[in-house]
């Protein structure tokens, strides 16, 4: 439900950027988590907005959600500009923006991923990414399930 709400707020941007969003949700029972809904929504917004903004026109952004016995696992994958290898270590630091992101003339403060990392970690989760410059980025994060 939270993912659906978040995506609804991005319909204009998705259309403007001419990007397709594909959502893969788990089948089966609903899972329970204890979260600050607004903060997790902000984390999702940051990751989805980045995926859309840094994707090439007519490309695909895939959002997958799955779970294991302990965690809900989110994956947001784009086919965009990627993150330069020499800048990857700084991606979650305050005010950082990759050189290639700045060249795209996208707006940003360099706070989105920093805040997202803090939100996820304060909820007991983890965040990480895989990237290939000029091809793609995939951001993952986990949130613990309620016991």
């Amino acid at each position: 439900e939270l993912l659906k709400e978040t995506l609804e707020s991005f319909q204009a941007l998705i259309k403007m950027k001419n990007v397709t969003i594909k959502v893969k949700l788990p089948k089966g029972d609903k899972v329970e988590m204890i979260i600050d809904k607004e903060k997790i929504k902000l984390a999702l917004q940051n990751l989805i907005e980045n995926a859309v903004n840094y994707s090439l026109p007519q490309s695909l952004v895939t959002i997958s959600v799955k779970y294991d016995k302990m965690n809900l696992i989110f994956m947001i994958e784009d086919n965009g500009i990627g993150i330069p290898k020499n800048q990857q270590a700084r991606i979650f630091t305050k005010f950082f923006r990759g050189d290639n992101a700045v060249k795209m003339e996208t707006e940003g403060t360099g706070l989105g991923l920093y805040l997202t990392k803090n939100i996820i970690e304060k909820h007991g989760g983890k965040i990480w990414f895989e990237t290939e410059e000029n091809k793609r980025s995939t951001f993952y994060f986990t949130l613990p399930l309620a016991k």
Side-chain angles (χ1 to χ4, degrees):
E1 291 173 22
L2 189 59
L3 179 58
K4 185 179 175 183
E5 275 179 38
T6 305
L7 283 171
E8 284 173 6
S9 67
F10 281 106
Q11 290 309 306
L13 178 64
I14 291 165
K15 192 172 187 174
M16 183 184 81
K17 296 287 287 185
N18 197 15
V19 170
T20 300
I21 304 287
K22 181 177 182 179
V23 178
K24 298 178 183 178
L25 298 174
K27 291 182 169 64
D29 299 332
K30 288 188 175 186
V31 295
E32 292 186 20
M33 297 180 304
I34 299 169
I35 61 169
D36 180 325
K37 183 179 173 181
E38 292 306 312
K39 286 191 172 78
I40 295 301
K41 188 173 180 179
L42 177 62
L44 279 170
Q45 286 172 336
N46 286 333
L47 293 170
I48 293 168
E49 186 173 22
N50 282 354
V52 171
N53 277 333
Y54 299 123
S55 286
L56 303 175
Q58 300 177 346
S59 64
L60 176 68
V61 171
T62 303
I63 302 169
S64 301
V65 182
K66 58 185 179 178
Y67 60 91
D68 59 24
K69 291 180 180 176
M70 308 227 351
N71 296 293
L72 194 64
I73 305 148
F74 288 83
M75 179 189 87
I76 296 108
E77 179 180 20
D78 67 52
N79 294 294
I81 61 172
I83 303 160
K85 200 170 205 69
N86 66 344
Q87 297 177 357
Q88 291 176 13
R90 296 175 34 219
I91 200 72
F92 293 113
T93 59
K94 199 184 288 189
F95 302 118
F96 175 76
R97 295 192 69 216
D99 293 340
N100 56 349
V102 173
K103 286 178 189 168
M104 280 187 77
E105 297 182 20
T106 54
E107 292 183 26
T109 60
L111 290 173
L113 290 175
Y114 170 78
L115 290 172
T116 297
K117 181 178 191 291
N118 280 285
I119 290 167
I120 299 303
E121 289 178 350
K122 294 279 190 232
H123 280 79
K126 294 184 172 108
I127 186 167
W128 69 98
F129 66 93
E130 296 172 351
T131 188
E132 194 172 345
E133 191 174 1
N134 299 315
K135 291 193 177 176
R136 66 172 189 84
S137 292
T138 306
F139 281 81
Y140 303 87
F141 72 91
T142 62
L143 291 172
L145 299 176
K147 297 201 183 336

